[in-house]
Amino acid sequence: MMREESELLARVEALLSDAAYAEHPLKDALAQLYAFHCTEKKRLERLVTIADNYQRYLREDEIVARRRYQNTLRRQEKLSRISDGYQQLMREHNQDLQQASTHDALTGLPNRRMIDERLSKLTRRYTLVMLDIDHFKQINDLYGHEAGDRVLVAIAQEIRAALRDCDLCARWGGEEFLLMLANVGLDEARAIVDRLRQRLSALSVTVNQTQLSITASAGLSEFREGEDLLDHTLQRADQALLEAKRTGRNRSCIAA
């Protein structure tokens, strides 16, 4: 089409410049038509150029908008990851706080605070046991507190291994441990405690090439319906523990 148009325009230009047609009655009309065509052609070319530029600008704006959207999306994803990480950190922090508030940092056993809460809510039959490591102060004095800590950790592991799933053991303070034996009377509880004391007697902790032997004394009391666990049951277990110490240690005594 462009070739035919070019050839036609060339013929028109040749006719208009040919002197033989200078007086031809259609020459002026042809010249006006040619000038009008050239003007319209230039105007159309300008419109096409404007349209092309507009389309190019649209494409460029679309690319810029897409890049901005992608950058925004990446920032949101990054913020989302940061937020998720922060939330996870807070959950772990809260769990650590909960663990620290209810468990002994050294042995990992429940601490006195947790046991106080449990004792206030008990509804089942329980026998309480106060267990004390014999002559523990001598271990700290002779071998240092680090050695004493190692002994406590080893004892806590033995206690966990010896008790049933339904029982509970806590570090009550220093070298004292509180055992809560579920659904057993004093005789059966004493048998459980004596087996535990035998395990502790067989336990050996090496400190500076020295084998430390351990014995323990225990006092037992059975929860009586209607009594206060902290003020009565636990107090009787503590009195029985004192009796075990007074009568030579390395033994268990039942509260009178």
Side-chain angles (χ1 to χ4, degrees):
M1 189 69 179
M2 294 293 294
R3 180 179 178 182
E4 294 177 354
E5 181 182 356
S6 298
E7 291 176 351
L8 179 59
L9 291 177
R11 288 179 61 192
V12 170
E13 290 173 355
L15 290 173
L16 291 175
S17 61
D18 192 342
Y21 299 103
E23 301 299 330
H24 196 285
L26 296 178
K27 181 179 179 181
D28 290 340
L30 182 61
Q32 292 177 7
L33 183 60
Y34 177 73
F36 178 78
H37 170 77
C38 291
T39 301
E40 289 299 309
K41 183 178 180 181
K42 290 179 180 179
R43 189 170 70 87
L44 181 60
E45 290 174 347
R46 285 198 301 271
L47 290 175
V48 170
T49 300
I50 292 172
D52 289 344
N53 290 335
Y54 179 73
Q55 292 296 325
R56 186 177 71 253
Y57 294 148
L58 286 180
R59 287 193 297 272
E60 291 175 353
D61 287 345
E62 181 182 359
I63 293 173
V64 171
R66 187 182 297 114
R67 288 176 180 171
R68 289 176 179 172
Y69 171 76
Q70 291 172 347
N71 290 337
T72 301
L73 185 61
R74 282 194 291 269
R75 284 196 296 270
Q76 290 177 342
E77 291 174 347
K78 184 177 180 180
L79 289 174
S80 179
R81 289 194 298 271
I82 293 174
S83 176
D84 291 344
Y86 177 75
Q87 293 295 327
Q88 178 63 26
L89 183 63
M90 289 300 296
R91 284 193 293 270
E92 293 174 355
H93 181 64
N94 290 334
Q95 290 172 356
D96 290 342
L97 288 177
Q98 177 66 20
Q99 178 75 8
S101 68
T102 58
H103 288 74
D104 176 56
L106 177 64
T107 63
L109 293 174
N111 60 18
R112 190 163 186 159
R113 175 182 176 181
M114 181 176 178
I115 293 301
D116 284 343
E117 294 176 357
R118 291 286 184 92
L119 289 176
S120 64
K121 300 175 182 178
L122 285 183
T123 57
R124 291 193 296 176
R125 179 188 184 191
Y126 271 88
T127 294
L128 298 188
V129 181
M130 291 295 298
L131 184 75
D132 185 88
I133 308 307
D134 296 330
H135 305 296
F136 182 76
K137 186 176 183 299
Q138 293 181 8
I139 297 176
N140 283 333
D141 292 343
L142 293 175
Y143 302 100
H145 289 280
E146 183 177 352
D149 289 347
R150 291 176 59 184
V151 169
L152 290 174
V153 171
I155 290 171
Q157 292 174 346
E158 286 296 319
I159 293 175
R160 274 195 293 254
L163 296 186
R164 303 164 301 170
D165 292 339
C166 59
D167 299 328
L168 184 64
C169 173
R171 186 180 178 191
W172 194 243
E175 67 272 21
E176 282 189 335
F177 297 85
L178 176 66
L179 283 59
M180 300 168 61
L181 307 180
N183 298 321
V184 293
L186 286 170
D187 291 336
E188 186 178 354
R190 189 172 194 174
I192 294 173
V193 172
D194 286 343
R195 286 196 298 271
L196 172 60
R197 290 193 309 99
Q198 291 174 4
R199 290 184 64 147
L200 295 179
S201 297
L203 182 65
S204 180
V205 179
T206 303
V207 176
N208 297 329
Q209 298 181 346
T210 300
Q211 301 292 325
L212 301 183
S213 298
I214 298 162
T215 62
S217 301
L220 296 81
S221 66
E222 186 175 9
F223 172 63
R224 297 169 182 168
E225 187 174 355
E227 75 174 354
D228 186 279
L229 276 163
L230 289 173
D231 291 341
H232 299 103
T233 315
L234 189 59
Q235 187 178 58
R236 288 188 287 107
D238 193 54
Q239 291 171 350
L241 173 61
L242 292 176
E243 180 65 20
K245 290 181 178 181
R246 279 196 298 265
T247 55
R249 292 185 170 85
N250 191 22
R251 66 191 62 204
S252 60
C253 288
I254 294 176

